[in-house]
Amino acid sequence: MTRKQAVDFLKTKPYKLGHLLGFTKLTTLHNQWIVDMLKGKEDKTLQSHRGSYKTTCVSIALALIIVLLPNQKTLFMRKTDNDIKEVISQVKKILLSQQMRYFIKTIYSVDLKLVTSTANEISTNLSQDIKGTSQLVGLGTGGSLTGKHFDRIFTDDIVNVQDRISKAERDK
């Protein structure tokens, strides 16, 4: 596979990357979602039923942004700081997978290294950006955004059951 073929595959058929990673229930609809997350320039809300693989698509998209747009800074937000950990962990697993390492080696001719790898941040040796912000930062909706600058912001499950049953939580 050439560099161009690898980039084209990741940009146009990310659901097939998902298949290679074991997410075999992803369809061409999921492919459209992931491509839109990767290429999208405008605000967008994706609404779908529970179990529709929205979060899986977000995880794949976040990993692809780190690889294909390594100098972009992305914020990922969920209801609480604790809630972001599972998605950040899944993004790390995708990045460190044998399949993704193959694509990274083909595209960049380097082995992937996680420069920053915490429960809520990821940065790799693919980024050449001199800013101090990690490539991916996860925050709960109550976290401080002061002084932070991001090229992209993703939210997922920022409303939970507590918001529906508590007027005080809804007002907050």
Side-chain angles (χ1 to χ4, degrees):
M1 178 177 284
T2 67
R3 178 186 192 282
K4 182 182 179 338
Q5 289 170 326
V7 170
D8 287 347
F9 178 84
L10 293 178
K11 283 183 174 180
T12 62
K13 296 183 178 82
Y15 82 112
K16 290 194 176 188
L17 169 67
H19 290 178
L20 293 172
L21 295 169
F23 303 114
T24 57
K25 293 186 178 180
L26 296 180
T27 67
T28 55
L29 173 63
H30 298 106
N31 195 67
Q32 292 170 6
W33 292 353
I34 299 166
V35 168
D36 194 43
M37 290 177 209
L38 180 62
K39 295 181 179 180
K41 302 275 188 226
E42 298 176 16
D43 291 350
K44 187 168 236 179
T45 300
L46 175 61
Q47 294 181 338
S48 188
H49 63 85
R50 287 192 67 68
S52 64
Y53 298 97
K54 295 180 303 293
T55 300
T56 300
C57 291
V58 168
S59 296
I60 292 170
L62 291 172
L64 289 174
I65 290 167
I66 288 171
V67 172
L68 297 173
L69 304 166
N71 294 324
Q72 294 236 316
K73 307 304 177 196
T74 303
L75 173 64
F76 174 71
M77 296 187 80
R78 268 189 149 180
K79 180 69 176 175
T80 68
D81 287 339
N82 211 36
D83 293 340
I84 60 142
K85 292 176 183 174
E86 73 175 276
V87 173
I88 299 293
S89 176
Q90 187 169 45
V91 171
K92 280 183 207 174
K93 288 177 182 177
I94 292 169
L95 289 170
L96 294 174
S97 70
Q98 179 182 351
Q99 296 85 346
M100 188 60 96
R101 285 179 176 272
Y102 169 81
F103 284 105
I104 292 166
K105 185 76 166 184
T106 302
I107 294 167
Y108 294 102
S109 300
V110 298
D111 292 320
L112 176 74
K113 289 185 177 62
L114 297 182
V115 176
T116 303
S117 178
T118 68
N120 52 354
E121 287 188 42
I122 299 174
S123 225
T124 70
N125 61 322
L126 303 178
S127 176
Q128 302 301 312
D129 190 46
I130 60 171
K131 297 176 193 165
T133 306
S134 291
Q135 287 173 274
L136 176 61
V137 175
L139 284 175
T141 56
S144 173
L145 294 173
T146 304
K148 293 184 171 45
H149 305 280
F150 296 98
D151 301 299
R152 294 165 177 261
I153 299 173
F154 283 73
T155 61
D156 184 38
D157 293 339
I158 57 174
V159 175
N160 64 19
V161 173
Q162 190 65 24
D163 298 313
R164 283 188 270 173
I165 61 176
S166 166
K167 180 175 180 350
E169 191 66 25
R170 282 193 305 276
D171 291 343
K172 179 181 158 195

